[in-house]
Amino acid sequence: MLPRVNIHCPFFQTESSQTCSNVIRIHTASYGRRDKTTCSAGRPANQLSKTDCSASTTLPILCSSKMCVCVCLTRFTISLTDSSQICEAQTKTINCGPHNVFKIHAANYGRTNSTICSDNQPPHKIDNTNCSSSNTLSVVKESCDGRLRCSIKASNRIFSNPCPGIYKYLDISYSCVPLTSSKTCEGNISTLDCGLDVIKIHAANYGRTDGHTCSVGRAADEVTNTRCRTSLALGRVKDRCDGKERCTLVASNHFSNGRDRCPGTYKYLDISFSCVTEM
């Protein structure tokens, strides 16, 4: 039986105050093996050598099992888990941008198999495959979670040395998840909900930067000023929402210390955020 994939669908109150009806579309899927490193820990070489193995029925089975479900996000993409390995003493930059951010699932600095980062290494440098640094996940999360790009070095100085004499590597498992946008018209309530994860705010403005958002039924002179920004909005939203599973905000002049920065302009609260795993 295929494992069931549950996708949390938060509700955001927007100017339409209606739930959405977009659907997830799975474009590609493969069950088999297309490289030698994924799911290779503890496996003999003969089980990893064939890299042109793919079941042609994978995609039809996924969608016929009702895993293509309805979600209520304006823009939503499935981001499959990816991985990156960085050999000891090397630095690597991984990139999710410009519209996706990292969600770190697992990380280890040490060695759990004898093939990764093994080129030109003598046997005694790669024979310990039970080597793990206990602080790896927390360090990688702090460096990468919720960021568009991440540069990190596989180093004993950063992660400690769990197995002296062994040539180690940093192994990171992650997904690139889309930034979520919430736009709430002046006087309305916005609820950000990340389920079991926590909110990380990336950008916020209370004002107006375009002429179409929250413009229905408004006079032309109320939506023509598209250079209306509130510098305090990002800090206020971060203070209220960062690190919480759920937060509620009222789109009001509270974000400008009670002052109306753009008199006569009908404003909205514009927030860009992601859901990350709690540290």
Side-chain angles (χ1 to χ4, degrees):
M1 178 181 293
L2 285 171
R4 182 174 180 82
V5 177
N6 294 316
I7 300 172
H8 175 67
C9 183
F11 171 75
F12 303 108
Q13 183 169 346
T14 63
E15 61 179 303
S16 64
S17 298
Q18 295 177 351
T19 56
C20 312
S21 58
N22 293 343
V23 295
I24 296 172
R25 299 190 185 280
I26 301 177
H27 298 286
T28 61
S30 174
Y31 176 69
R33 177 167 291 280
R34 292 186 292 180
D35 63 66
K36 293 182 180 181
T37 57
T38 304
C39 296
S40 61
R43 296 292 173 178
N46 67 317
Q47 290 186 344
L48 310 172
S49 59
K50 185 174 176 59
T51 57
D52 60 349
C53 171
S54 180
S56 60
T57 57
T58 309
L59 185 59
I61 289 175
L62 277 176
C63 284
S64 65
S65 64
K66 296 183 180 180
M67 293 175 68
C68 303
V69 297
C70 172
V71 296
C72 57
L73 289 175
T74 302
R75 291 176 296 176
F76 191 95
T77 58
I78 290 180
S79 298
L80 300 180
T81 300
D82 203 348
S83 64
S84 182
Q85 291 79 37
I86 309 169
C87 300
E88 184 175 347
Q90 294 183 9
T91 301
K92 186 175 183 180
T93 298
I94 47 180
N95 199 326
C96 273
H99 304 297
N100 298 304
V101 293
F102 283 103
K103 183 171 184 178
I104 304 298
H105 301 293
N108 180 58
Y109 178 68
R111 179 167 290 277
T112 57
N113 73 48
S114 58
T115 58
I116 297 174
C117 294
S118 61
D119 291 348
N120 303 317
Q121 295 297 322
H124 71 276
K125 288 274 192 178
I126 58 174
D127 60 0
N128 181 357
T129 57
N130 189 29
C131 173
S132 299
S133 178
S134 60
N135 72 332
T136 312
L137 182 58
S138 60
V139 172
V140 174
K141 276 180 171 291
E142 185 175 354
S143 300
C144 301
D145 242 1
R147 299 177 185 269
L148 299 171
R149 65 195 298 270
C150 176
S151 182
I152 195 162
K153 185 175 183 178
S155 161
N156 292 335
R157 183 177 179 180
I158 297 173
F159 299 103
S160 77
N161 190 351
C163 42
I166 296 297
Y167 185 62
K168 295 167 284 292
Y169 58 88
L170 176 61
D171 189 4
I172 305 172
S173 175
Y174 65 92
S175 294
C176 289
V177 298
L179 285 172
T180 301
S181 176
S182 171
K183 297 179 192 272
T184 307
C185 303
E186 185 175 344
N188 291 336
I189 297 173
S190 173
T191 299
L192 311 184
D193 192 338
C194 277
L196 298 178
D197 290 335
V198 296
I199 298 165
K200 182 177 179 65
I201 302 296
H202 297 275
N205 180 60
Y206 180 67
R208 177 168 291 278
T209 56
D210 66 63
H212 56 82
T213 301
C214 295
S215 61
V216 177
R218 293 290 161 180
D221 61 350
E222 290 185 301
V223 297
T224 53
N225 181 3
T226 57
R227 303 176 70 178
C228 177
R229 295 183 176 274
T230 304
S231 60
L232 298 175
L234 178 58
R236 292 281 175 91
V237 174
K238 277 180 168 288
D239 289 344
R240 185 69 179 268
C241 300
D242 258 353
K244 296 182 180 179
E245 295 176 356
R246 188 174 188 271
C247 75
T248 300
L249 303 159
V250 178
S252 73
N253 289 328
H254 160 78
F255 295 102
S256 54
N257 282 337
R259 294 175 55 194
D260 189 345
R261 301 281 180 178
C262 313
T265 295
Y266 187 62
K267 294 170 281 293
Y268 56 89
L269 179 61
D270 188 359
I271 302 172
S272 178
F273 71 100
S274 61
C275 296
V276 299
T277 304
E278 189 171 9
M279 296 291 292

